[in-house]
């Protein structure tokens, strides 16, 4: 959406997604903040040898000392796992891998293997004591569903520390706003229409200043088989993609770390349980169902697009 006045924009390819910072601040200031993503990627990626997550997964069940960043993310991840009764689960990776969402093979997983993977996704066996993490050998963690939110918060704080008073960060659908638009109005954030052209068609718009909007949608990574759509958000209790007719859910709050964790949980839980969980955390949420019905927190400043 056009946010008015002269803007600079930097782009960065991190966390398997496309990230942008848009702001009237000088390009080199924005670039310096964006460059910090490389540090977080090295720390939090599952696939970078030596990262905190890699060390946790390769230490044969022995304790690992992690950074303050990783500790903060893990604390939120474990809390959200408990608060959502298991709907948000950072140990679901082995089940995700069986679905091959990213390599284009549209096949259903072997049910026995899926059962085994679900059994391994037991967050109650992840032990976090201050900065020490102990994870049994068969449990594997992946912060892919939560780290982007935390990093977005950190980069927004870095921009503020560099004197930036107005910016819009979009890290693959995690949006954080710093201050207001340069013209003093709040930023307007469009919610992607699931069936529409990416970045062009919106089903609603939310006003935002110094907060975050995070969306979980089934249109991101999925495949079709025999008339069914299989998408990348799994019900951790079964290992199957959630089938509750929800197309997309967006959470609006201050912390993008919280928003990232909770949107995945909200998706799995559906509107009734989800809106109650959101309220408990002071998060405003809006759901869109496949029949066009909308469920949302009445406090949310939202405009629906016909
Ligand atoms: P995205 O990463 O596409 O922006 P999300 O933040 O909703 O969207 O995270 C989805 C990712 O989280 C999936 O790609 C998958 O790896 C993982 N995931 C899927 N189901 C769950 C779940 N129930 N709990 C935690 N992570 C999940
Ligand atoms: Mg998430």
């Amino acid at each position: 959406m056009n946010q008015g006045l002269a803007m600079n924009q930097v782009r960065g390819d991190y966390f398997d997604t496309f990230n942008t910072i848009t702001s009237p601040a000088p390009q080199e200031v924005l670039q310096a903040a964006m460059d910090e993503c490389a540090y977080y990627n090295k720390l939090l990626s599952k696939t970078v040898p030596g990262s905190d997550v890699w060390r946790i997964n390769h230490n044969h069940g022995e304790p690992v000392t992690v950074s303050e960043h990783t500790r903060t993310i893990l604390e939120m991840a474990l809390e959200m796992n408990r608060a959502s009764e298991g709907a948000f689960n950072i140990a679901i990776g082995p089940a995700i891998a069986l679905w091959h969402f990213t390599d284009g093979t549209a096949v259903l997983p072997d049910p026995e293997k899926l059962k085994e993977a679900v059994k391994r996704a037991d967050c109650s066996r992840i032990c976090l004591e201050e900065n020490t993490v102990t994870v049994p050998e068969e449990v594997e963690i992946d912060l892919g569903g939560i780290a982007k939110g935390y990093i977005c918060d950190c980069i927004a704080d870095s921009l503020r520390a560099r004197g930036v008073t107005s910016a819009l960060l979009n890290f693959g659908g995690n949006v954080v706003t710093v201050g207001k638009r340069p013209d003093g109005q709040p930023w307007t954030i469009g919610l992607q229409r699931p069936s529409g052209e990416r970045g062009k068609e919106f089903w609603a718009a939310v006003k935002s200043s110094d907060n975050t909007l995070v969306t979980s949608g089934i249109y991101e990574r999925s495949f079709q088989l025999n008339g069914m759509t299989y998408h990348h958000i799994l019900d951790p209790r079964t290992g199957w993609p959630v089938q509750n007719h929800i197309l997309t859910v967006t959470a609006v709050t201050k912390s993008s770390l919280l928003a990232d964790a909770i949107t995945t949980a909200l998706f799995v839980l559906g509107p009734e349980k989800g809106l109650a969980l959101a309220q408990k955390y002071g998060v405003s949420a809006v759901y869109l169902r496949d029949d066009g019905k909308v469920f949302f927190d009445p406090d949310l400043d939202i405009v629906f697009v016909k």
Side-chain angles (χ1 to χ4, degrees), residues 191-198 201-203 217-220 246-249 288-289:
L191 307 188
Q192 176 69 41
R193 187 179 289 286
S195 56
E197 196 182 337
R198 278 298 214 85
E201 291 179 53
F202 306 99
W203 69 276
I218 64 165
Y219 49 95
E220 294 289 337
I246 295 302
L247 295 177
T248 172
V249 56
L288 176 63
R289 205 165 65 181

Side-chain angles (χ1 to χ4, degrees), residues 15 17 81 86-93 96-97 101-102 142-149 171-174 214-217 220-221 231-237 242 259-261 263-265 267-268:
F15 333 117
T17 173
N81 177 258
F88 179 75
N89 186 325
I90 54 165
I92 198 73
I96 300 270
F101 290 118
T102 44
D142 181 355
L143 301 181
I146 182 170
K148 239 187 315 164
F171 285 18
N174 278 52
V214 179
T215 297
S216 262
E220 294 289 337
R221 288 174 196 149
H231 61 80
H232 75 310
I233 301 172
L234 302 188
D235 184 333
R237 292 158 292 196
V242 179
D260 203 359
T263 38
T264 309
F267 195 96
V268 177

Side-chain angles (χ1 to χ4, degrees), residues 113-214:
K113 283 193 183 153
L114 197 57
K115 239 188 240 166
E116 187 60 31
V118 164
K119 226 164 59 204
R120 287 171 63 190
D122 183 356
C123 286
S124 70
R125 300 180 71 202
I126 300 170
C127 174
L128 177 67
E129 273 168 359
E130 295 186 350
N131 291 60
T132 304
V133 191
T134 317
V135 171
E137 177 126 47
E138 61 276 22
V139 178
E140 192 182 300
I141 67 159
D142 181 355
L143 301 181
I146 182 170
K148 239 187 315 164
Y150 178 75
I151 298 164
C152 230
D153 284 335
C154 292
I155 304 296
D157 283 344
S158 167
L159 287 166
R160 291 184 183 101
R162 292 168 197 272
V164 175
T165 54
S166 170
L168 175 76
L169 295 82
N170 187 342
F171 285 18
N174 278 52
V175 171
V176 171
T177 54
V178 173
K180 295 195 163 94
R181 293 190 326 199
D183 65 3
Q185 295 297 314
W187 300 91
T188 303
I189 312 300
L191 307 188
Q192 176 69 41
R193 187 179 289 286
S195 56
E197 196 182 337
R198 278 298 214 85
K200 296 239 163 85
E201 291 179 53
F202 306 99
W203 69 276
V206 174
K207 298 250 190 265
S208 166
S209 54
D210 282 313
N211 65 4
T212 183
L213 270 99
V214 179

